[in-house]
Amino acid sequence: MTHILDRPIWSALQTAHADLAEGGKSARRYPPSIVPFAASADGTPESLDALENLPSQAESMILVESGPIAIPPGLAVVAEASVVQMVAERPHERLSDSRIQPLTEADAADMLALATLTKPGPFTLRAQSLGSFWGIRSEGRLVAMAGQRMRQTGFIELSGLCTHPDFQGRGLGTLLFRFVAGEISSSGDTAYLHAYATNTSAISLYQALGFRLRSEMNMRVVKRRT
């Protein structure tokens, strides 16, 4: 039986993030200025043709699904990876810590700089269009952050977790992880996340923090053929 998280991009753009969707009934994507995620409705020729027509010549798109990903003939795979999807086993307690502050549009440049340095995954100046983010500053410098990305009915993705190298090993990432998981739980939704399958240390940490492996996922980065 198909789960709503088996095709997380399509299900998000069909439900909680439908207002952000570009495209139509056969293929959709997020605005590339927010995040380069896209998906076809299914593997039919009509849907694959619609997916192929979404990007411009210069744009790349990221596809993520639990099963094999059908690639239109006009798109080329330029990168691929195995990913795991993990889901919270139980609701997380809502935390309060004076070091954690909401991040706003005024923080966007600092957020992008931290994400560019630490590479938690696709990140743009408009990442906050997807959901709330929180961060910790030290002497005015943003040193750790985490927030929310894709949303489906009943689920919110915990994403963007990163800590500046100078501040790693102090528990800031774990604190923000637990904080965001608690915020998601307080809304009545279930937290989930994605991690590269090769990042075994992160996966072990997430398991220790109450997340279980739900599914192995395939990721493909595609561009128009030249």
Side-chain angles (χ1 to χ4, degrees):
M1 184 176 179
T2 302
H3 191 281
I4 195 171
L5 295 183
D6 286 345
R7 306 186 71 237
I9 298 170
W10 179 255
S11 59
L13 292 171
Q14 286 284 91
T15 59
H17 279 165
D19 60 323
L20 294 174
E22 295 183 351
K25 62 183 180 65
S26 298
R28 293 186 170 193
R29 71 172 181 178
Y30 284 94
S33 61
I34 296 177
V35 71
F37 290 163
S40 60
D42 49 42
T44 62
E46 177 186 5
S47 294
L48 295 181
D49 185 62
L51 180 66
E52 181 179 315
N53 289 322
L54 284 178
S56 69
Q57 192 67 47
E59 292 172 340
S60 61
M61 301 189 305
I62 298 176
L63 318 175
V64 179
E65 300 183 16
S66 62
I69 302 177
I71 306 297
L75 297 180
V77 176
V78 296
E80 56 187 292
S82 295
V83 176
V84 297
Q85 186 183 84
M86 304 181 73
V87 178
E89 294 185 293
R90 61 184 185 279
H92 281 65
E93 178 184 359
R94 198 173 194 184
L95 302 180
S96 177
D97 191 301
S98 60
R99 293 173 293 175
I100 301 174
Q101 299 296 323
L103 297 176
T104 70
E105 289 185 9
D107 301 298
D110 288 346
M111 294 168 65
L112 180 60
L114 181 59
T116 301
L117 176 67
T118 57
K119 296 179 171 55
F123 204 89
T124 69
L125 284 170
R126 296 185 62 200
Q128 294 174 78
S129 301
L130 300 176
S132 299
F133 275 78
W134 295 266
I136 296 174
R137 288 185 177 273
S138 176
E139 298 180 349
R141 179 169 57 152
L142 182 65
V143 298
M145 69 175 181
Q148 304 169 354
R149 191 165 64 181
M150 288 189 287
R151 295 168 178 256
Q152 297 81 10
T153 303
F155 294 90
I156 298 178
E157 183 188 19
L158 193 162
S159 184
L161 178 68
C162 53
T163 303
H164 192 285
D166 293 347
F167 289 81
Q168 290 176 1
R170 305 186 190 186
L172 301 183
T174 298
L175 173 62
L176 278 166
F177 184 99
R178 294 175 58 223
F179 179 88
V180 177
E183 292 299 301
I184 293 172
S185 293
S186 71
S187 70
D189 295 298
T190 298
Y192 76 102
L193 59 86
H194 293 101
Y196 287 111
T198 54
N199 195 353
T200 54
S201 59
I203 293 170
S204 295
L205 173 62
Y206 301 152
Q207 289 174 324
L209 292 171
F211 280 62
R212 63 172 176 82
L213 177 65
R214 195 200 77 81
S215 179
E216 295 181 356
M217 309 290 284
N218 298 305
M219 185 189 80
R220 302 287 185 271
V221 182
V222 297
K223 293 188 72 171
R224 278 187 177 274
R225 294 186 183 276
T226 55

